């Protein structure tokens, strides 16, 4: 029976031990997510009360560089603290492996720690145990401060050990002597942390840094607290100033001012509780795509973790805009293989951000800005004859995020945004000029800065740039053409905010004159793209779950479309949008389908996808990914993995898969090829498909190997052996957490076998090729 903690967390496995307790990987049964749980104990009643009191205070902290406690409790003489599960490595291990850090890298990490401390100190919470083992470096390079609020309590409990020795080196003298502590005690620890990162150790040996940086460290680690920096923010600003002077180049003073302002605004945004979550997802997607070793499975894994994102992405790639590039697409894996890494990245990023914006949009005015951005993304595609799916998606994402700065400013700098709107109205100045006056930079510059912080590629950054020229000049390169289409689309959609007819006419005339050199800006072309855009908006809005009702912007846009169509008609030319094609009808049917999955129908569609893909040129990994994803989503398994022979190591090894915490499961999922009397070896030897409905059943338990229970806590699983020329070359494994959870029908089992057979056929064809 699985260990359950605090009534809702099922322990998956142990992550590590210390003198004070154990860290567990667990599943939150209420939220269906994995968490890290720190068990501290045994503790006395007074220790328990102190720990819980400090942990409750720390749980109120919401900062991008702080790992907060989001649940806690005490039971049988131990305290349990529940944290978000983060993939990463403690800084002390990073230093042990890599040695001294580069100055820029060390200062970047310390700056994040100081930013977190400044925020916590503002809430009246000290850390008092900043040291390398309490700083986690995530897989994306983001530093996180651990054990906020409780670290000092634990340090008092810790017995003499290596950990205690480490703590004493980094603790301020007044804390060690228990002579009182204050926020400048944390400053001392950060100074020692920086010194340790630059030296690769905490020894008193000399380190090769310039006098200016050495003086910063000396000031922060002065034995007298009064001589240290007065706050974490002060020390951070000094370090940032040091970095800026060290990196000073030929940039103008104006550029430097913009850069400084942007950094300040980004820090304010990143300190909000909801922004780090969306940034983490987008950065993970972008990092995967930018990797030198592109892995379609990893990108699919990230997307498949979010059921809603998966459904929306597949609906979107089956709209008319994409149907010309591959027909109906039923799996994320196929979308990646047909449309490419970057296109699927762009689509997923768009969906994540739009969902975030939709959830935060309270006023109808902000909803209209979101809808206008959405409409402009469709119009941008219609403004030029795009030749590839990549160009289509670049036009969409650049146009959709053209107003990203304005949208996020409305959420995070509401008062400033109100002041900007007031200046535009009262002084009749441009929005750019008003934004620069209030924020120090334009909305567009803010949006570009955020996009860069999300690791957007430079091609998209270039497409999002605002053109400020009154007359747009001709361009021949693709990036320039993309940028023109994006700007023109946004200009056209902004006319919907002009209320009177004469104002609309003047705005249209300005647009036609502005873009006349570089593109067809005729009444007929404008009428066609706006009419087509409005029709496609009604379809795509369902995918994005955008409420287009009660939108004044859309009502104004309908009047604009009617006006441009009338003008085009008076010129003797039609502006009607093309009739719906069979691909559009297919897309509409897909969009209108229920989100619930019909297992048999889904497996059939997935099987047909695999067969169709194998009829042409294909990559083996693409086929295997499509097979696994079809099984995973079609039946609703918790995990699906594919294993293959590793003859050098004499093992059957899991290669890739989908499901909860799959990254940590894969390294543990392997077994020797040498025969043992368990269900896995019997399945391979006999070539039989096997369903184990309850691993704990009396007649089955002895046949379940111990390694399986350590790798996963699932009680139900399916095995589909992969046999080629009478040799077991691999196996497909799929499981459910609960026993007897699933009843696979004969028709479904036949389809699962067919999918397995297609995987074997793909391996055979590629091995013979």
């Amino acid at each position: 029976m699985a260990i359950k903690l605090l009534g809702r967390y099922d322990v998956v496995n142990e992550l590590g031990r210390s003198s004070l307790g154990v860290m567990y990987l667990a599943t939150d049964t209420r939220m269906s997510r994995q968490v890290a749980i720190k068990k501290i104990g045994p503790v006395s009643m007074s220790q328990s009360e102190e720990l819980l009191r400090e942990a409750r205070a720390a749980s109120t902290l919401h900062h991008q560089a702080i790992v907060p406690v989001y649940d806690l409790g005490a039971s049988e003489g131990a305290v349990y603290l529940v944290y978000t599960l983060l993939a990463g490595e403690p800084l002390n291990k990073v230093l042990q492996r890599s040695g001294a850090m580069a100055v820029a890298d060390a200062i970047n990490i310390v700056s994040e720690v100081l930013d977190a401390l400044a925020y916590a100190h503002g809430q009246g919470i000290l850390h008092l145990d900043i040291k390398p083992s309490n700083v986690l470096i995530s897989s994306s390079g983001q530093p996180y401060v651990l054990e906020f609020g409780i670290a000092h309590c634990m340090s008092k409990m810790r017995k003499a050990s290596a950990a205690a020795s480490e703590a004493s080196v980094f603790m301020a003298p007044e804390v060690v002597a228990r002579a009182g502590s204050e926020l400048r005690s944390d400053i001392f620890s950060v100074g020692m942390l920086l010194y340790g990162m630059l030296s690769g150790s905490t020894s008193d040996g000399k380190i090769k840094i310039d006098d200016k940086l050495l003086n910063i460290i000396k000031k922060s680690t002065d034995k007298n607290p009064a001589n240290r920096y007065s706050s974490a923010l002060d020390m951070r600003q000094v370090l940032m100033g040091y970095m800026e002077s060290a990196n000073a180049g030929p940039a103008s003073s104006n550029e430097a001012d913009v850069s400084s302002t942007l950094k300040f605004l980004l820090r304010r945004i990143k300190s909000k509780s909801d922004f780090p979550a969306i940034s983490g997802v987008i950065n993970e997607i972008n990092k995967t795509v930018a990797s030198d070793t592109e892995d379609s499975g990893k990108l699919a894994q990230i997307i498949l973790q979010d059921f809603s994102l998966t459904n929306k992405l597949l609906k979107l790639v089956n709209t008319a805009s994409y149907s010309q590039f591959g027909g109906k697409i039923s799996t994320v894996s196929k979308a990646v293989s047909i449309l490419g890494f970057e296109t699927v990245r762009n689509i997923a990023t768009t969906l994540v951000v739009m969902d975030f914006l939709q959830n935060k949009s309270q006023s109808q005015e902000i909803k209209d800005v979101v809808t206008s951005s959405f409409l402009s993304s469709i119009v941008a595609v219609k403004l030029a004859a795009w030749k590839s799916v990549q160009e289509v998606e670049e036009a969409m994402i650049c146009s959709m995020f053209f107003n990203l700065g304005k949208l996020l400013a409305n959420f995070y700098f509401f008062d400033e945004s109100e002041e900007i709107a007031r200046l535009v109205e009262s002084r009749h100045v441009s929005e750019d000029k008003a934004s620069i006056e209030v924020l120090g930079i334009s909305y567009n510059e803010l949006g570009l800065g955020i996009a860069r912080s999300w690791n957007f590629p430079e091609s998209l950054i270039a497409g999002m740039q605002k053109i400020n020229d009154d007359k747009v000049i001709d361009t021949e390169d693709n990036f320039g053409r993309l940028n023109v289409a994006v700007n023109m689309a946004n200009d056209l959609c902004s006319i919907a905010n002009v209320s009177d007819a004469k104002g609309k006419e003047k705005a249209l005339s300005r647009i036609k004159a502005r873009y006349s050199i570089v593109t067809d800006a005729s009444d007929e072309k404008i009428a066609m793209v706006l009419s087509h855009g409005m029709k496609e908006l009604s379809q795509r809005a369902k995918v994005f779950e955008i409420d287009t009702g009660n939108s004044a912007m859309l009502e104004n846009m309908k009047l604009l479309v009617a006006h441009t169509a009338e003008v085009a008609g008076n010129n003797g030319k039609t502006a009607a949008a093309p009739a719906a094609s069979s691909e559009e009808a297919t897309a509409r049917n897909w969009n209108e389908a229920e989100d619930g999955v019909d297992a048999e129908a889904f497996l059939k569609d997935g099987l047909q996808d695999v067969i169709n893909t194998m009829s042409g040129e294909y990559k083996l990994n693409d086929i295997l990914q499509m097979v696994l994803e079809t099984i995973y989503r079609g039946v609703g398994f918790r995990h699906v993995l594919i294993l293959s022979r590793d003859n050098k190591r004499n093992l059957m090894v899991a290669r890739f898969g989908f499901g909860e915490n799959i990254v940590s499961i894969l390294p543990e999922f392997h077994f020797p090829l040498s025969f043992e009397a368990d269900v896995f070896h019997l399945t391979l030897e006999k070539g039989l498909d096997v369903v184990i409905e309850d691993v704990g059943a009396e007649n089955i338990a002895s046949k379940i190997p111990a390694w399986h229970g350590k790798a996963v806590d699932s009680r139900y699983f399916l095995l589909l052996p992969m046999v080629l020329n009478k040799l077991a070359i691999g196996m497909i494994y799929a499981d459910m957490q609960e026993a007897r959870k699933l009843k696979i029908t004969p028709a479904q089992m036949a389809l699962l076998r067919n999918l397995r057979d297609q995987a074997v056929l793909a391996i055979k064809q590629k091995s013979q090729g």
Side-chain angles (χ1 to χ4, degrees), residues 172-249:
E174 66 272 16
V175 176
V176 175
R178 298 189 181 182
S181 56
E182 55 168 296
L183 62 85
R184 283 178 289 194
S185 301
D186 279 337
I187 301 297
F188 179 95
S189 299
V190 173
M192 291 301 299
L193 182 72
L194 179 57
Y195 183 91
M197 293 163 71
L198 295 173
S199 65
S201 69
T202 57
S203 67
D204 292 328
K206 294 182 179 180
I207 56 177
K208 295 181 178 179
I209 58 174
D210 62 53
D211 290 342
K212 188 174 181 180
L213 182 54
L214 190 58
N215 286 335
I216 294 173
I217 294 173
K218 285 181 177 179
K219 181 175 176 63
S220 63
T221 57
D222 195 289
K223 291 183 179 180
N224 185 349
N227 295 333
R228 299 171 199 158
Y229 292 102
S230 61
S231 70
L233 186 58
D234 282 349
M235 183 178 177
R236 190 183 190 283
Q237 288 175 338
V238 170
L239 284 171
M240 290 296 95
Y242 168 81
M243 284 299 294
E244 287 179 8
S245 62
N247 296 327

Side-chain angles (χ1 to χ4, degrees), residues 465-476 479-489 491 510-519 521:
Q465 296 273 1
K466 187 170 186 177
I467 301 174
N468 294 313
D469 302 329
D470 292 335
K471 193 82 170 178
V472 179
I473 60 174
D474 197 8
T475 179
E476 294 182 359
F479 289 153
R481 190 163 58 106
L482 169 67
N483 192 222
V484 168
V486 167
N487 275 265
M488 186 173 177
D491 282 353
R510 283 196 298 270
I511 290 172
K512 286 187 285 186
R514 187 181 191 213
Y515 295 95
S516 59
I517 296 176
V518 293
T519 188

